[in-house]
Amino acid sequence: MRTLKDDWLIQCYMDAVHLQLDPEFIDLLLEEIHRRSTNPAFRRMWMAVSHSPWGQEAAAGAVLHAN
């Protein structure tokens, strides 16, 4: 996953949550997002997407997935 571009990682995560794919796959994506969150450029991109209406849907899906 390290070779996956930042925007593709975010898009994959959003799609995986929206399509309710395998929870283990979503966990792997979240782990990679968390690992990259120390990078300021990635963090800005993630924050911009996560505050969009579609990003909020994915964030809500992640909360449900975590429970």
Side-chain angles (χ1 to χ4, degrees):
M1 274 204 221
R2 292 177 189 252
T3 60
L4 194 61
K5 293 181 181 182
D6 291 344
D7 56 338
W8 290 6
L9 172 63
I10 293 170
Q11 186 66 47
C12 284
Y13 169 75
M14 300 279 200
D15 291 345
V17 171
H18 181 74
L19 296 171
Q20 298 177 342
L21 298 182
D22 184 4
E24 290 182 20
F25 177 65
I26 294 172
D27 286 344
L28 289 173
L29 293 170
L30 282 172
E31 287 175 20
E32 183 63 18
I33 288 170
H34 180 70
R35 187 188 70 74
R36 294 185 191 192
S37 68
T38 59
N39 178 320
F42 180 83
R43 191 170 41 246
R44 281 191 300 275
M45 185 186 308
W46 175 247
M47 293 303 291
V49 171
S50 65
H51 284 90
S52 73
W54 198 46
Q56 290 174 356
E57 175 186 336
V63 168
L64 291 174
H65 167 71
N67 293 331

